[in-house]
Amino acid sequence: MSAEAPKISDFCAVGVNHWEASIDVRERFSLSDARKKDLIDGAQREGIESLFVVSTCNRTEIFAQNVSLQELIRLLVTYSDGTLEEFHNYGFEKEGRQAVEHLFQVTVGLDSQILGDVQVVNQVKEGYEFAGELDAVGGELHRLMQHVFRAHKRSRNETSLGEGAATTAYAAVKFAIETFDNLKDKNILLVGTGKIGKVTCKNLINLGAKKLTLINRTRDRAEFVADKFDLKVADMEELPQEIAEADLVIVATGAQEPVLTLDDMKPSVMAPSFKVMVDLSVPRNIDPQIGELKFVDLANMDFLTDVTDEAYRRREENIPLVKKIIDDELTDYKNWLSKQKIVPTIKALTNKFDTIREDEFDFFKNKISDTDKDKVENLTRRIVNKIAAYSIEHLRDHHESEQVTKVVNDMFKLETKASNE
């Protein structure tokens, strides 16, 4: 008989995120690409065949199949700077349907700090593709992700969840506007022109920013963005002076250590003027000690929210619709999983029929002219395929019935193998 079919209960997830863990905890659990690779390599050495990691500003989470929660927790603690005690205090662990629903909700943006976050789907996709390149994603998880990404697409096409600039970058700019009322006459410094930085730049301009300076470790990347909007570019060496002249400083880089330190604040300390500084990075890129300066209002990811925004209320109305989409896609996936238990029988059945056909053809081929051999082989193949099709259709129509599968196995004396072999 075939091996036990894959089930929803095979999946699990562990991690820390913004709901329970503050930014200082999240940055200790944050994983660079190098650490993610080490974690996946370590998991594969231990026989874990299907998993991927999502590590963003607001969460570090592992999704996996056929592994215990304890093993995943140990992997997360081993390859991050977080401790087991911190995980038990601030982390989460989910199994079966809860784990799969959580993956759906993260990807569509229901679990995001900014409801309907439009960037999180790309972050999930990057984590999934990263693991895929390491051959760390099994067939059932691949199929699950197709349904997860389809749920995201449907949530955007069939609901208004993604409307209203739902991003942490937008929330950062709105945070600044609450202080300054408008950005038109404010000196603004944006450090980092990667994915988040580019989105932040567009939001600043759309909300009225006129005096905007860009700094990036690689100047060419800053100039590429600046040329699109006719903006000023400064070098990293000019960072302290640019900070001193700025009213608003936003930092969004992928650095693992602070990009803005107390040393960079020396010119500002000599001639202090009120500044709003926003750190969109995890690990934090602005030294938290800068927030202790009396003339600085420092905000990090934990400060950002859009719950007072009218667009948030409109998105919130769509939550039941999005949950219905998730239920639909999860049901479709469960149906697909259920059908996988008959795959070994179908493969064994078609192999059995083809073996019989080949044996009979070999017995008679010497009695057939060379000109007719191809025609006869094609004819016998078509006959066998049509006979097999009726049996396969019956199996698929009754894929929930173990008795039907057993009858077919016994009737044709099939030797089945696991569907993933």
Side-chain angles (χ1 to χ4, degrees):
M1 294 296 292
S2 61
E4 187 177 356
K7 306 178 295 297
I8 287 292
S9 59
D10 296 337
F11 293 95
C12 60
V14 304
V16 296
N17 57 41
H18 60 95
W19 296 114
E20 297 293 337
S22 61
I23 191 167
D24 59 315
V25 174
R26 297 200 308 274
E27 66 186 0
R28 284 196 287 276
F29 281 95
S30 179
L31 296 170
S32 64
D33 283 350
R35 287 195 173 193
K36 281 191 285 186
K37 183 179 185 304
D38 289 342
L39 186 152
I40 292 171
D41 288 344
Q44 289 176 319
R45 285 194 298 271
E46 296 178 20
I48 301 170
E49 298 179 347
S50 193
L51 81 163
F52 72 95
V53 181
V54 176
S55 188
T56 73
C57 295
N58 281 328
R59 69 185 70 244
T60 297
E61 301 181 0
I62 308 175
F63 300 90
Q65 182 185 9
N66 296 326
V67 60
S68 71
L69 290 170
Q70 289 70 30
E71 287 176 289
L72 286 189
I73 294 168
R74 182 176 50 77
L75 283 169
L76 180 57
V77 171
T78 298
Y79 291 97
S80 73
D81 292 328
T83 66
L84 186 59
E85 182 181 4
E86 286 177 319
F87 178 86
H88 287 314
N89 287 336
Y90 306 109
F92 73 87
E93 45 193 277
K94 299 177 184 289
E95 290 183 286
R97 185 183 178 95
Q98 282 190 335
V100 175
E101 286 181 339
H102 178 69
L103 175 56
F104 273 99
Q105 290 174 356
V106 168
T107 305
V108 302
L110 289 188
D111 196 65
S112 296
Q113 183 179 20
I114 308 300
L115 180 64
D117 192 325
V118 299
Q119 294 167 326
V120 68
V121 64
N122 293 324
Q123 295 164 336
V124 172
K125 190 172 293 185
E126 287 170 4
Y128 159 65
E129 291 177 347
F130 185 87
E133 291 171 359
L134 298 173
D135 294 323
V137 182
E140 288 85 22
L141 185 51
H142 271 304
R143 181 72 178 217
L144 173 59
M145 296 310 296
Q146 292 178 27
H147 288 275
V148 168
F149 293 135
R150 184 155 62 230
H152 173 268
K153 185 175 182 179
R154 289 182 58 191
S155 74
R156 269 47 186 176
N157 292 338
E158 301 173 25
T159 79
S160 302
L161 184 68
E163 295 181 2
T167 66
T168 53
Y170 182 78
V173 177
K174 291 287 286 185
F175 176 85
I177 288 178
E178 289 178 6
T179 301
F180 293 123
D181 291 332
N182 72 80
L183 303 177
K184 187 174 181 180
D185 61 344
K186 301 302 177 186
N187 291 322
I188 302 172
L189 174 63
L190 175 60
V191 182
T193 54
K195 293 178 182 178
I196 303 296
K198 288 176 184 177
V199 175
T200 305
C201 183
K202 290 179 182 178
N203 287 327
L204 286 166
I205 292 169
N206 290 339
L207 291 173
K210 300 294 184 183
K211 301 158 72 175
L212 178 57
T213 300
L214 307 183
I215 290 181
N216 195 71
R217 287 196 180 278
T218 306
R219 185 183 173 96
D220 289 349
R221 293 186 65 178
E223 289 177 342
F224 178 79
V225 177
D227 288 345
K228 291 183 178 181
F229 304 105
D230 192 24
L231 303 176
K232 174 186 172 184
V233 174
D235 293 322
M236 284 298 294
E237 292 75 15
E238 302 174 80
L239 182 60
Q241 189 57 41
E242 291 293 337
I243 295 171
E245 296 173 4
D247 302 299
L248 170 63
V249 179
I250 300 178
V251 182
T253 82
Q256 298 298 301
E257 301 290 340
V259 175
L260 270 64
T261 66
L262 279 173
D263 283 344
D264 296 315
M265 300 299 295
K266 287 179 179 179
S268 300
V269 172
M270 295 294 292
S273 62
F274 177 72
K275 304 179 189 305
V276 171
M277 304 182 77
V278 183
D279 191 343
L280 293 180
S281 308
V282 176
R284 284 171 286 186
N285 285 177
I286 299 178
D287 188 331
Q289 289 183 296
I290 291 176
E292 298 174 9
L293 298 173
K294 292 182 178 180
F295 58 90
V296 172
D297 185 1
L298 174 60
N300 58 45
M301 293 293 295
D302 286 349
F303 288 75
L304 303 183
T305 180
D306 63 346
V307 294
T308 60
D309 194 283
E310 178 61 31
Y312 170 87
R313 286 188 283 273
R314 291 196 298 271
R315 293 197 298 274
E316 189 177 35
E317 293 172 358
N318 288 271
I319 291 177
L321 296 175
V322 177
K323 286 185 174 180
K324 176 63 168 58
I325 289 172
I326 290 174
D327 285 341
D328 289 346
E329 292 297 332
L330 183 50
T331 298
D332 287 348
Y333 178 64
K334 287 176 67 178
N335 288 337
W336 178 84
L337 271 185
S338 179
K339 292 178 181 179
Q340 296 315 291
K341 63 187 175 186
I342 64 169
V343 169
T345 299
I346 290 174
K347 288 181 178 179
L349 184 64
T350 54
N351 288 338
K352 184 84 168 188
F353 283 0
D354 203 46
T355 298
I356 294 172
R357 185 197 67 80
E358 289 177 352
D359 289 345
E360 292 303 308
F361 181 76
D362 288 342
F363 182 78
F364 284 104
K365 68 181 179 182
N366 292 331
K367 302 176 183 180
I368 305 171
S369 66
D370 290 341
T371 56
D372 289 334
K373 281 182 180 178
D374 288 344
K375 294 178 182 178
V376 173
E377 183 169 15
N378 186 50
L379 174 64
T380 57
R381 194 182 301 277
R382 285 169 59 86
I383 291 171
V384 166
N385 286 345
K386 286 188 176 182
I387 293 172
Y390 288 107
S391 299
I392 292 170
E393 183 180 5
H394 188 71
L395 279 167
R396 286 175 173 159
D397 289 343
H398 299 84
H399 64 272
E400 296 286 358
S401 172
E402 293 184 6
Q403 184 177 1
V404 170
T405 303
K406 184 178 186 305
V407 167
V408 173
N409 276 287
D410 292 345
M411 181 184 299
F412 295 101
K413 294 182 173 58
L414 302 180
E415 295 181 2
T416 60
K417 297 180 180 180
S419 62
N420 61 351
E421 290 183 358

